[in-house]
Amino acid sequence: MANLSQSSLGDIQEKDVEQQVTSSHRKRNIMIGGLVLLVSAVIAIAIAVPVSLARKNSIETNANIAAATERVKQQIAVTTVDIVQQEEIALNSASLVSADQHSIHPPKYAHVVSPYSNLTRLKIYKPVPEARVFVMGDIHGCLKEMNDLLKVIQFQPNKDVLILAGDLVFRGPDSLGVIRRANELNALCVRGNHDDKVVRLRGYQNKFGIKSMSETEEIMPEGDVGDPLKFGNKHLEIARNMNVDDYNYLAGCPLILDIPTLEARVVHGGLDPHISTLTDNDPWSVMNMRDVDEEHEPSKLKLTKIDPDASNVHWTTEYQENAPNKNITVFYGHDASRGLQLGTNTIGVDSGCIYGRKLSAINIKTHELFQVDCVGEQGDDDE
Ligand SMILES: [Mn+2]
């Protein structure tokens, strides 16, 4: 667990081995800063050690001094290699996933996590007691409505905290604008299924180059993921147009945001109540689930839509019955067709802005609801 940032609004901890070596600029800077300090210190020793050795013992030979210097050089080389390897791991999440499998105990229905997903499974946020904390539903590139809603709640970036329930991007008019606005406001976020596709496409491009992605109908090789992607799918344009800050922001949205002091948790799709360790949750399911079937396995489909006799239930029904801690409220998005859902310990905040309905925000502490009207675009609610 690494304490990543502290601000006047509270602090965030990341609780995921995968993330300890991932791509935050700040972390990289700290690491590079540390390396510079370390190398400086070692060079200082390289100078000081031979000098002091010579002073202490006047019969110290040049050979001894040379040997001491050589040892110090080797130390520098070893230190440098360590840092470089860490940086390489940070750029290659394939190594991360395999390296961390031992610490995660996925459910039997779990899908392969894409080696290009650069995913943080869990962040823990502790807001200062006086901060107002809002969860906002799926924005899908609707920057105007996002700004309208911020005005309605009289959002003050230095005092208030904004949490986005995922799917910041795709379908709407200004996906990059939403990422940049969120970043500017230091908004917290969780990863939605569409954010994930954008991040994976860009992760692949970062590793193999833009030319590797020109064959539009070819499936991107990621293993047995829950939602295979064609290179030329509709998320590619957003993935290509992101700058480094956009990518770092979007990729930094964790799968689960836990806020223990407010007894609240935020995810995009839902949570399996039978999994007691949050980081064991199947990422694809957390981002995509709407229903749970008779085997208690999450599904992105509302199964009764296909088969009226299907014995599935809304994931929240199962969660409300089986939640390990009934005092914790799970805020989620992703289910525009069900719309705003005010359950006892599950609150759905996707009220279908992209489909021309409303964009919603809820104050986590008071459960006050704020909404604005949306222009919207055509599309299928279930994607
Ligand atoms: Mn979604």
Side-chain angles (χ1 to χ4, degrees):
M1 191 188 300
N3 196 344
L4 260 205
S5 68
Q6 283 196 315
S7 73
S8 59
L9 298 175
D11 72 79
I12 299 177
Q13 294 179 320
E14 302 196 1
K15 199 176 191 181
D16 182 2
V17 272
E18 284 178 37
Q19 184 59 16
Q20 289 184 4
V21 282
T22 51
S23 63
S24 134
H25 265 324
R26 189 181 315 170
K27 228 171 168 182
R28 180 84 44 88
N29 289 341
I30 289 168
M31 202 152 64
I32 291 165
L35 176 62
V36 169
L37 277 178
L38 196 60
V39 170
S40 309
V42 171
I43 289 168
I45 292 166
I47 295 163
V49 166
V51 170
S52 65
L53 283 176
R55 279 182 186 164
K56 269 186 185 169
N57 187 347
S58 59
I59 61 164
E60 189 78 61
T61 64
N62 285 342
N64 290 120
I65 293 169
T69 308
E70 189 54 39
R71 279 198 303 275
V72 172
K73 274 186 189 164
Q74 282 170 5
Q75 282 174 351
I76 293 174
V78 168
T79 308
T80 306
V81 167
D82 282 350
I83 299 295
V84 169
Q85 279 175 348
Q86 282 196 31
E87 291 222 326
E88 281 174 357
I89 289 169
L91 294 172
N92 177 5
S93 50
S95 323
L96 285 182
V97 172
S98 56
D100 291 317
Q101 288 302 323
H102 66 276
S103 60
I104 289 166
H105 305 282
K108 64 177 170 46
Y109 59 76
H111 301 78
V112 166
V113 177
S114 166
Y116 313 108
S117 66
N118 192 8
L119 179 66
T120 304
R121 287 181 183 241
L122 175 65
K123 284 186 183 178
I124 299 169
Y125 176 54
K126 291 177 182 163
V128 295
E130 56 273 24
R132 296 193 302 165
V133 184
F134 297 94
V135 180
M136 191 180 283
D138 308 29
I139 302 171
H140 280 295
C142 296
L143 178 62
K144 180 191 174 295
E145 287 86 346
M146 176 191 188
N147 282 324
D148 288 348
L149 186 50
L150 288 167
K151 260 183 215 153
V152 168
I153 61 181
Q154 300 181 308
F155 187 79
Q156 295 180 274
N158 299 326
K159 292 182 179 171
D160 303 329
V161 177
L162 178 65
I163 300 170
L164 306 176
D167 279 359
L168 284 65
V169 300
F170 195 57
R171 277 212 187 94
D174 195 356
S175 291
L176 296 182
V178 170
I179 296 174
R180 287 167 194 172
R181 185 77 171 118
N183 200 353
E184 176 183 79
L185 296 170
N186 291 316
L188 301 170
C189 48
V190 292
R191 188 180 293 197
N193 52 314
H194 291 288
D195 309 319
D196 188 59
K197 289 177 178 175
V198 169
V199 168
R200 283 155 50 201
L201 285 164
R202 183 53 179 263
Y204 190 93
Q205 180 185 309
N206 287 350
K207 188 167 166 67
F208 297 107
I210 216 162
K211 286 182 185 162
S212 67
M213 306 176 73
S214 55
E215 293 182 43
T216 57
E217 287 301 303
E218 195 187 331
I219 300 282
M220 193 164 91
E222 300 177 279
D224 190 17
V225 295
D227 50 357
L229 282 169
K230 288 178 182 171
F231 282 122
N233 86 80
K234 290 175 181 171
H235 300 76
L236 185 61
E237 191 185 343
I238 302 167
R240 286 242 159 112
N241 289 330
M242 287 193 297
N243 63 34
V244 172
D245 285 345
D246 300 335
Y247 170 79
N248 284 338
Y249 180 83
L250 198 63
C253 297
L255 184 66
I256 302 168
L257 182 69
D258 193 24
I259 315 165
T261 53
L262 300 184
E263 295 187 308
R265 237 159 237 176
V266 187
V267 293
H268 181 63
L271 281 174
D272 182 339
H274 306 291
I275 296 175
S276 54
T277 304
L278 281 175
T279 49
D280 285 347
N281 274 283
D282 171 38
W284 184 87
S285 298
V286 173
M287 291 184 279
N288 285 278
M289 75 167 75
R290 293 191 179 96
D291 275 8
V292 180
D293 68 18
E294 60 269 31
E295 307 288 323
H296 307 289
E297 293 191 6
S299 161
K300 77 179 236 181
L301 301 170
K302 284 180 277 293
L303 299 173
T304 43
K305 236 175 150 178
I306 305 163
D307 173 9
D309 300 324
S311 56
N312 64 295
V313 293
H314 187 196
W315 77 267
T316 60
T317 305
E318 177 147 304
Y319 191 89
Q320 285 164 19
E321 284 166 13
N322 300 289
N325 182 342
K326 291 196 163 49
N327 295 323
I328 294 175
T329 301
V330 180
F331 293 82
Y332 64 97
H334 187 58
D335 208 345
S337 64
R338 283 188 172 109
L340 190 75
Q341 297 277 304
L342 303 173
T344 51
N345 57 353
T346 55
I347 293 185
V349 291
D350 184 0
S351 43
C353 181
I354 192 59
Y355 306 112
R357 303 207 297 273
K358 307 259 186 196
L359 184 64
S360 300
I362 289 188
N363 181 322
I364 287 193
K365 293 177 182 172
T366 64
H367 287 196
E368 263 177 295
L369 172 68
F370 304 88
Q371 292 186 310
V372 294
D373 292 326
C374 298
V375 177
E377 310 249 331
Q378 293 302 310
D380 180 356
D381 279 18
D382 285 350
E383 275 305 308

